[in-house]
Amino acid sequence: MNWEKDMILEVKDLFLYYKTGEGIVQAVDGVSFSLEKGKSMVIVGESGCGKTSLGSAILRLLPKNVELYKGVCRLKGENIMGYNDEKFRREVRWIRAALVPQGAMNALNPVVSIFDQVAEPLFVHELAEDRQEAREKVEETFDLVGIPADFLSRYPFELSGGMKQRVALAMSLITDPDIIIMDEPTSALDMLTQANIMNVLTEIKNRIDISFILITHDVSTSSEIADMAAVMYAGQIVEFTDSQNFFDTPRHPYSKSLMESVPTLKADDDSLGYIPGQPPSLLNPPAGCRFLERCPRSFAACSEEPFVFKPEKNHFVRCWLYEEC
């Protein structure tokens, strides 16, 4: 999955397995994709499909029970997988690639002021000489995410859920990274606040040259910001294309089922679809196509592991239905 364009991130054959008391969890199993500079990408799929683990693998935020971690991850052409942990921490994480974690509203320290939490990366990475320079940078970032400057002296418990989310976003932006990975950034917010946060992300994307990866199971909230879409199922990306192709004409049977299960203003209740059953366990994924047992279009070839096919330009699908493409 590689295009001849100016890529900010290229991931190829990325694996991340965990060792547990029950066996080996194949959370990320041979994932590949590319993201062009200045573009945004959404990764969608059901809970437990490996989306969060993929973000952790890219940023090397790994637990102690890692069984397998390998692959290629190029950031602006450099394979950062070859960096040792200290070099990665010093030169990549939060400098060139940052994270808005799942449950970001609970990631703020309740006894530390908003300014000190947002400015901390500037001091850790020696990007500000003093508090005045740091304050100017924080105020500039607050303006970008829509937070009044007088919030600098406040504490997290004084902020609404939406404002806490904006603070978490400001923390990821403070070092001017090339790419930000956001893990379910709106999942704990009401519908109106979700819309406001997505509008903020759209404005940021239009104002500065930055790329986003948005990890979510909520397809509807990602449609306006995403340039690219990746569908993840059972540790693998089963479809990867531009957002217009995905939202208008998804190709993989799983992608189609996901889109059919999303309510729209024009649809009535009887037209909503659903996906029977549940995703397979990542402890022992089935041989062949991992969507086989739930797929309405399965046939004999699906008992074998499908390759990634290209039914049209810039559209990749892991499904035997497109073998002749």
Side-chain angles (χ1 to χ4, degrees), residues 15 44-45 54 83 91 115 133 144 156 171 181 184 188 200 203 212 214-215 226 239 248 274 278 297 301 305 317 322:
F15 291 81
V44 298
L54 176 56
Y83 289 9
E91 298 183 12
F115 167 75
E133 184 178 350
L144 189 62
M171 291 172 68
I181 298 175
E184 301 283 3
V200 168
E203 184 176 352
F212 289 118
L214 175 62
I215 296 171
E239 184 164 1
D248 291 345
Y274 70 97
Q278 59 186 5
R297 301 185 65 185
E305 176 75 15
V317 186
Y322 303 97

Side-chain angles (χ1 to χ4, degrees), residues 11-247:
V11 174
K12 184 176 181 181
D13 297 329
L14 186 60
F15 291 81
L16 177 58
Y17 291 1
Y18 304 123
K19 186 176 183 179
T20 71
E22 298 180 5
I24 306 301
V25 176
Q26 301 177 28
V28 179
D29 196 21
V31 165
S32 300
F33 67 87
S34 299
L35 181 62
E36 188 181 351
K37 183 179 180 181
K39 299 295 185 179
S40 296
M41 169 181 166
V42 60
I43 303 175
V44 298
E46 294 168 281
S47 297
C49 69
K51 303 187 301 295
T52 295
S53 290
L54 176 56
S56 299
I58 294 171
L59 289 173
R60 206 184 291 184
L61 295 169
L62 308 175
K64 294 181 180 180
N65 64 329
V66 170
E67 173 69 15
L68 176 67
Y69 176 54
K70 69 176 184 177
V72 175
C73 187
R74 294 190 181 96
L75 186 59
K76 283 188 171 180
E78 288 185 73
N79 184 16
I80 56 177
M81 290 287 285
Y83 289 9
N84 62 38
D85 288 343
E86 176 59 23
K87 181 178 176 68
F88 193 95
R89 182 200 66 79
R90 188 176 62 249
E91 298 183 12
V92 178
R93 191 185 302 124
W94 225 274
I95 297 294
R96 300 170 60 188
L99 174 72
V100 178
Q102 190 171 12
M105 293 188 298
N106 298 323
L108 302 176
N109 191 323
V111 297
V112 177
S113 73
I114 296 301
F115 167 75
D116 286 330
Q117 295 190 61
V118 177
E120 182 179 10
L122 297 176
F123 296 123
V124 170
H125 294 284
E126 300 179 350
L127 299 176
E129 294 185 358
D130 51 38
R131 290 181 67 85
Q132 180 57 38
E133 184 178 350
R135 182 182 180 90
E136 292 173 0
K137 179 61 178 177
V138 173
E139 289 180 349
E140 176 186 326
T141 307
F142 271 22
D143 178 67
L144 189 62
V145 300
I147 302 177
D150 59 6
F151 276 48
L152 286 171
S153 59
R154 298 192 183 186
Y155 289 81
F157 65 84
E158 299 178 280
L159 274 59
S160 66
M163 278 299 176
K164 289 179 183 178
Q165 193 67 54
R166 291 178 192 236
V167 170
L169 181 57
M171 291 172 68
S172 69
L173 287 164
I174 195 67
T175 58
D176 299 320
D178 298 310
I179 188 169
I180 294 177
I181 298 175
M182 298 178 289
D183 190 359
E184 301 283 3
T186 61
S187 60
L189 305 173
D190 60 77
M191 293 297 293
L192 180 60
T193 307
Q194 285 184 22
N196 289 336
I197 293 297
M198 297 309 294
N199 288 338
V200 168
L201 294 175
T202 302
E203 184 176 352
I204 292 171
K205 182 171 175 285
N206 292 334
R207 287 176 60 181
I208 63 177
D209 188 19
I210 193 170
S211 298
F212 289 118
I213 293 180
L214 175 62
I215 296 171
T216 183
H217 64 269
D218 188 347
V219 177
S220 59
T221 61
S222 59
S223 58
E224 293 187 10
I225 190 176
D227 300 297
M228 307 301 301
V231 182
M232 201 160 181
Y233 186 78
Q236 299 176 334
I237 287 182
V238 296
E239 184 164 1
F240 181 64
T241 183
D242 64 73
S243 59
Q244 184 173 352
N245 275 341
F246 172 67
F247 290 111

Side-chain angles (χ1 to χ4, degrees), residues 280-309:
S281 170
L282 295 180
L283 281 167
N284 187 26
C289 176
R290 297 185 179 183
F291 190 55
L292 171 62
E293 296 299 324
R294 308 171 74 192
C295 182
R297 301 185 65 185
S298 62
F299 60 107
C302 300
S303 60
E304 300 292 331
E305 176 75 15
F307 297 109
V308 176
F309 300 105

